[in-house]
Amino acid sequence: MSDTASMLHHFVAQQLLTAYTRLVDAKDVEGLFAIAHPDIVLVRSSDAAPRAGREAFLDLYRDFARSDVQESQHMTTNVSALELGDGSLAVAACFLAITTHPDGARATWGRYNDEIAERDGKWVFTAKRIQVTRTALIGQDMLAPFNASSFEPMPST
């Protein structure tokens, strides 16, 4: 494979992951519908069994949208894309998700091992695999005030 093809695959993978994380953070289930193949398979380390099909995939994000999550920010890094024999891509990445809740916050990190494919001129997820490594719970008393600067001394408590 040429360097150009490899760079294009990486770009496509990164763009789709970025769209995915932004849609999750926005709790935009309709947007997630658009980037999920009808036969998508979702595998999560916390689930007893894989979920098959777009509606089963979207049920996870419907639950997320109804949860007590106030704000969320998902980020991906260390993205790699490998072309498979059928032209689809295996996409691996690390993720960090920070969510705020009425009682504090959570930092969750792990790995994605996804598959994406081009369908009708658009790249979509055909498999989404989420392996959570760990979640840190952060109590409300550990969070800085909303007006705290990221570069000035912390306000006195």
Side-chain angles (χ1 to χ4, degrees):
M1 174 188 325
S2 73
D3 286 345
T4 302
S6 179
M7 288 188 304
L8 179 60
H9 292 156
H10 183 270
F11 177 77
V12 164
Q14 184 65 61
Q15 289 296 106
L16 191 55
L17 280 170
T18 298
Y20 165 79
T21 60
R22 288 183 176 173
L23 292 165
V24 171
D25 290 341
K27 299 179 181 179
D28 185 346
V29 176
E30 289 180 25
L32 289 163
F33 177 94
I35 63 169
H37 188 274
D39 297 324
I40 189 171
V41 174
L42 172 64
V43 179
R44 295 176 60 227
S45 56
S46 60
D47 287 349
R51 301 177 192 210
R54 187 186 279 148
E55 286 303 313
F57 170 80
L58 293 174
D59 282 345
L60 171 67
Y61 302 99
R62 290 181 184 110
D63 290 345
F64 181 75
R66 288 189 296 263
S67 75
D68 73 345
V69 171
Q70 296 167 324
E71 299 290 331
S72 71
Q73 185 171 351
H74 288 72
M75 297 151 281
T76 58
T77 186
N78 299 15
V79 177
S80 67
L82 176 66
E83 185 174 5
L84 302 174
D86 62 357
S88 64
L89 301 177
V91 179
C94 298
F95 73 86
L96 171 63
I98 300 169
T99 56
T100 60
H101 305 258
D103 60 347
R106 295 180 190 157
T108 302
W109 59 95
R111 297 188 180 278
Y112 294 144
N113 288 293
D114 305 328
E115 291 177 26
I116 66 174
E118 190 174 12
R119 297 292 188 262
D120 300 322
K122 182 177 174 185
W123 285 90
V124 295
F125 287 97
T126 56
K128 184 82 184 125
R129 297 182 189 91
I130 305 169
Q131 177 67 43
V132 171
T133 301
R134 201 69 194 250
T135 299
L137 304 176
I138 305 162
Q140 190 68 34
D141 61 329
M142 297 296 297
L143 296 174
F146 283 109
N147 62 347
S149 170
S150 62
F151 56 88
E152 293 177 1
M154 289 297 296
S156 301
T157 54

